[in-house]
Amino acid sequence: MKRIQRGRGLALAASVAGLGLVLTACSDGGDGGGGGGDEAAATFDCADYEQYGVLEGKTVSVYTSIVDPEAQEQEASYEPFEECTGAEIEYEGSREFEAQLPVRLEAGNPPDIAYIPQPGFLRSLVEDFPDAVQAAPQSVIDNANEYYTEGWVEYGTVDGTLYATPLGANVKSFVWYSPSAFEENGYEVPTTWQELLDLTDQMVEDNPDIKPWCAGIESGDATGWPATDWLEDVVLRTAGPEVYDQWVNHEIPFDDPQIVEALDAVGGILKNEDYVNGGLGDVASIASAPWNEAGNGIPDGTCFLHRAANFYQANWDEGLEVAEDGDVYAFYLPGESEDDKPLLGGGEFVTAFSDREEVQAFHAYLSSPQWANAKAEVTGQGWISANSGLDRELLQSPIDQLSFDLLTDETYTFRFDGSDQMPGSVGAGSFWREMVSWISPGQDSQTTLSNIEASWPSS
């Protein structure tokens, strides 16, 4: 099969080999005869792919920011579709994706499919290239409505038309902790925001030599982004989802009093010398502490809590068990009450730039449980989908399973990462920079938010 990126990597060998057994059973006729073939056919059956048609000799190009090693898992997940339909998927991953996709569209050289990392980017593409971005066909619309919550469908919709469907997803509303440290100290996982604050105070009282929280927002050229997640999560909890939407869409000023109140609430934790920065220093150390290392104080015993997304699990030292009774785990960052369940997250969206039969078929596959399950089978940990048809037992990490449960639970109010929806000069510019200044040298909340408001591009 022709691909721009090749290779499978040893980490994928076992899972891809298992998938290959299934494909062999399918391509040989898959009549159910024979021991090992029976087991394989029960897992995978080409009859399930007849809906996509016979696409022998046809090619679909995919352009994305997902590069190796994750690209290897992406390509492996396409193999059932390729084997059963005869289509070939040409995969191209690029770190320059966001800059180059508009260039390609302007030049009349679009990919067939692209994975858009932000709803705001999708909207700008629809506005700037209305003839290039294709509305989803009915098969994709049906999958979206059946397998995704209303919020996820809305993020792929522009002016009432569905253009994009979710691919991968993540959950950011998590607090990491040590289950054994909680048990030793008699701590319970909090179920409300006030319980979280009360627990923090109890930790200060019980353990004067251990700071409750550890945090770090250093991330190279993207330094500051973890602090934006903090603010977004707290805006959802103190001001609510409607105000959050108004803020993200600049229908209210960036420095609206409700947002100032939320940032002050974040400061109640991150700027409190009694609460931070476990094992790393004072408040100012948050600005220079690497985000991917800041949680190390939990297994080291120098802090109890670290707010970070489900994908933070990739940063724990090898050998640490991530489980409810393991070395580290995470609990949902609680809302104002037990009935208040805002959920912050992110993900990518599948968008088509061609209405050819094979492109529509592949888009339908990517929006289906078939693809979500195929992807889970070739992924070790750190990947989830908001597709309710995903078999959660295929997710190998307990935190991935918990994330999937939250994403597909209609009682939680999901909102996409706010900075990812804002103009790039703000969401990946002034917002990051000003949050660093807020931490160190300690700029006040009003000044911080007013500076970001002043940077918002005029329409």
Side-chain angles (χ1 to χ4, degrees), residues 116 118-120 122-123 126 133-136 140-141 144 148-167 348-352 363 414 416 421:
I116 308 300
Q118 302 104 7
L122 172 65
R123 285 195 299 271
V126 173
V133 187
Q134 299 296 308
V140 172
I141 293 173
Y148 294 93
T149 63
E150 182 179 353
W152 279 102
V153 175
E154 283 300 312
Y155 283 120
T157 300
V158 179
D159 295 333
T161 298
L162 180 69
Y163 290 96
T165 50
L167 191 72
E348 313 89 20
F349 293 83
V350 180
T351 309
H363 192 174
F414 179 84
F416 205 91
Q421 300 180 71

Side-chain angles (χ1 to χ4, degrees), residues 64-252:
T64 171
S65 61
I66 302 172
V67 297
D68 286 336
E70 290 83 1
Q72 299 172 30
E73 299 168 347
Q74 282 289 331
E75 292 186 76
S77 71
Y78 309 152
E79 291 190 358
F81 179 86
E82 291 177 301
E83 182 72 21
C84 290
T85 67
E88 293 186 1
I89 309 303
E90 289 187 345
Y91 186 96
E92 180 181 2
S94 171
R95 298 187 188 278
E96 305 298 324
F97 169 82
E98 291 185 54
Q100 289 302 312
L101 180 59
V103 173
R104 290 181 58 170
L105 295 178
E106 185 70 39
N109 181 35
D112 294 325
I113 293 280
Y115 298 157
I116 308 300
Q118 302 104 7
F121 191 23
L122 172 65
R123 285 195 299 271
S124 68
L125 292 177
V126 173
E127 293 168 359
D128 295 343
F129 305 98
D131 296 330
V133 187
Q134 299 296 308
Q138 192 60 49
S139 58
V140 172
I141 293 173
D142 291 343
N143 280 346
N145 289 331
E146 182 173 359
Y147 298 113
Y148 294 93
T149 63
E150 182 179 353
W152 279 102
V153 175
E154 283 300 312
Y155 283 120
T157 300
V158 179
D159 295 333
T161 298
L162 180 69
Y163 290 96
T165 50
L167 191 72
N170 59 66
V171 173
K172 297 193 172 188
S173 301
F174 278 130
V175 178
W176 290 87
Y177 73 107
S178 164
S180 61
F182 267 46
E183 183 177 2
E184 290 171 7
N185 289 274
Y187 299 147
E188 299 289 336
V189 169
T191 59
T192 67
W193 181 259
Q194 187 57 52
E195 286 183 8
L196 177 63
L197 298 180
D198 292 342
L199 174 62
T200 302
D201 286 332
Q202 188 64 49
M203 290 172 170
V204 172
E205 182 179 341
D206 293 345
N207 303 274
D209 296 328
I210 302 176
K211 301 293 186 182
W213 291 87
C214 42
I217 63 172
E218 190 280 324
S219 187
D221 292 341
T223 293
W225 75 260
T228 71
D229 283 358
W230 261 100
L231 178 56
E232 291 159 10
D233 244 335
V234 175
V235 168
L236 282 172
R237 282 153 180 77
T238 60
E242 291 185 5
V243 171
Y244 179 88
D245 294 340
Q246 294 169 357
W247 175 58
V248 168
N249 295 322
H250 207 223
E251 295 168 5
I252 60 174

Side-chain angles (χ1 to χ4, degrees), residues 98 118-121 123-124 247-250 254 417-433 452-453 455-459:
E98 291 185 54
Q118 302 104 7
F121 191 23
R123 285 195 299 271
S124 68
W247 175 58
V248 168
N249 295 322
H250 207 223
F254 205 97
D417 181 283
S419 60
D420 282 349
Q421 300 180 71
M422 297 170 184
S425 61
V426 176
S430 59
F431 198 179
W432 291 353
R433 292 192 302 270
I452 302 171
E453 168 62 23
S455 75
W456 197 282
S458 57
S459 55

